[in-house]
Amino acid sequence: MIETSFLYYNFGVRDVVGTRSEYKGNKTIIHVRPTRTLCRCPHCHSYTLLKNGTRERQIQTLPIGSRRCYLKLTNQRYKCTSCHWDGWQKIPGILKGKSYTYRFAQHVIDLLRMGTIKAVANHLGVGWDLIKSIHKDYLNKRYKSPSLKGLKRIGIDEFAVRKGHVYETIVVDHDTGRIVYSHPGKDKEALTPFWEMLKRRKITLEAVSCDLSPAYISAVMEYQPKAQIVLDHFHIMKLMNEKIDALRRDLYREETDLNKRKVIKGVRYLLLANGTDVMDPLHRTRLENVLVVSQKVCKGGLSLSQN
Ligand SMILES: [Zn+2]
């Protein structure tokens, strides 16, 4: 017989008693049975419970030295005839719907502070997926609702996950660098819960930076009308470069004079280069030539830079 107190103090599992232990290779299996039966419905508290089948469960718990350790038990299912609740008897210390104890999950998190998921999985002799899922659950619980206190300046962006098939929208606090919100999708709807959260907490933003997505811009104007919209330098330059390049292509196609065509050809890099490159005398002469030949590109560049 393995005492209830031994199981509680070592494995954090309550209301069970050990009947026997079994040793298989590198595994220690402790057979346990619950010391209580469920009398009242956890939902409506009536005494009208009926037994509704059992299942064998093997629950991973803290290792003993280098041996993996499991608790084996028969879990009872109940059904309430008053409210029709139907569920398994809960064993305190075993996480609901999981095949490991609360202490085991805690141990994994402690080890992850010192090593990678792969190293922890190897050390505990379990699969990478199990460690990953414990870590994910922990991060979800710990960071699900981050503090928005003092939030003034944010950045919105989306990124592709799973080889670009799925998008995730994220919001970053520019002052702390923390991610304060993340949601699947890259449209206006992906941000709706975030705006509502700000409204509930009466947070007025000073500035919001985002890319040129009309969906994001209109959402900021609707939900945070007082916030300044800051457009990303990279995206503006990208748009400007695309426009100048399109003008250069049009000009090349329209130009009938072969000599002028030669001047225009191959100057894409020069037109899009930054100031330092253009100061090179050779580059500068070529650029000036192309600007003389192509008044349109020159004007296009000017009007874009003024906008
Ligand atoms: Zn009930």
Side-chain angles (χ1 to χ4, degrees), residues 1-23 28-35 61 64 69-72:
M1 187 73 93
I2 299 153
E3 285 175 24
T4 303
S5 55
F6 176 88
L7 296 168
Y8 172 64
Y9 285 107
N10 290 292
F11 303 127
V13 183
R14 265 192 289 188
D15 301 343
V16 288
V17 66
T19 51
R20 67 186 178 93
S21 50
E22 194 184 339
Y23 306 94
T28 294
I29 302 165
I30 302 172
H31 292 251
V32 298
R33 63 172 168 78
T35 53
T61 186
I64 300 177
C69 195
Y70 296 87
L71 302 175
K72 200 165 182 176

Side-chain angles (χ1 to χ4, degrees), residues 51-67:
K51 286 186 174 173
N52 190 27
T54 58
R55 65 173 170 178
E56 291 293 316
R57 295 190 71 192
Q58 190 161 293
I59 307 293
Q60 184 145 22
T61 186
L62 290 174
I64 300 177
S66 59
R67 296 183 69 82

Side-chain angles (χ1 to χ4, degrees), residues 60 62 95 100-110 134:
Q60 184 145 22
L62 290 174
L95 286 166
Y100 45 84
T101 60
Y102 176 74
R103 286 269 179 91
F104 180 78
Q106 222 174 14
H107 184 52
V108 166
I109 299 305
D110 289 341
I134 292 175

Side-chain angles (χ1 to χ4, degrees), residues 41 43-44 46 80 82-83 85:
C41 169
H43 199 244
C44 70
S46 76
C80 174
S82 299
C83 73
W85 169 81

Side-chain angles (χ1 to χ4, degrees), residues 39-203:
C39 303
R40 298 179 73 174
C41 169
H43 199 244
C44 70
H45 307 292
S46 76
Y47 289 93
T48 53
L49 282 181
L50 291 178
K51 286 186 174 173
N52 190 27
T54 58
R55 65 173 170 178
E56 291 293 316
R57 295 190 71 192
Q58 190 161 293
I59 307 293
Q60 184 145 22
T61 186
L62 290 174
I64 300 177
S66 59
R67 296 183 69 82
R68 275 181 279 153
C69 195
Y70 296 87
L71 302 175
K72 200 165 182 176
L73 61 103
T74 305
N75 203 191
Q76 180 69 52
R77 186 173 179 164
Y78 291 92
K79 192 175 181 178
C80 174
T81 50
S82 299
C83 73
H84 305 294
W85 169 81
D86 185 346
W88 299 97
Q89 180 179 3
K90 201 175 174 297
I91 310 286
I94 296 175
L95 286 166
K96 196 185 169 193
K98 306 288 182 190
S99 58
Y100 45 84
T101 60
Y102 176 74
R103 286 269 179 91
F104 180 78
Q106 222 174 14
H107 184 52
V108 166
I109 299 305
D110 289 341
L111 290 175
L112 281 171
R113 294 184 216 281
M114 294 179 272
T116 60
I117 292 177
K118 200 178 166 190
V120 173
N122 285 342
H123 175 69
L124 295 172
V126 296
W128 185 91
D129 293 350
L130 178 68
I131 305 298
K132 178 72 189 170
S133 116
I134 292 175
H135 195 214
K136 214 169 158 182
D137 288 345
Y138 166 76
L139 293 177
N140 252 333
K141 206 173 157 196
R142 176 82 173 73
Y143 298 105
K144 202 172 180 183
S145 38
S147 160
L148 299 180
K149 206 178 162 197
L151 195 67
K152 289 283 170 217
R153 296 181 290 185
I154 61 160
I156 303 169
D157 207 354
E158 87 265 337
F159 66 93
V161 283
R162 290 183 205 150
K163 294 177 183 168
H165 296 304
V166 182
Y167 284 88
E168 190 90 20
T169 297
I170 59 162
V171 177
V172 180
D173 178 352
H174 278 313
D175 294 296
T176 61
R178 279 183 318 131
I179 294 175
V180 289
Y181 175 81
S182 126
H183 198 279
K186 57 169 182 172
D187 45 15
K188 201 175 166 180
E189 281 69 40
L191 282 166
T192 311
F194 176 71
W195 301 125
E196 280 165 2
M197 199 155 66
L198 293 186
K199 199 175 163 189
R200 274 198 306 276
R201 300 188 194 183
K202 296 188 174 69
I203 293 173

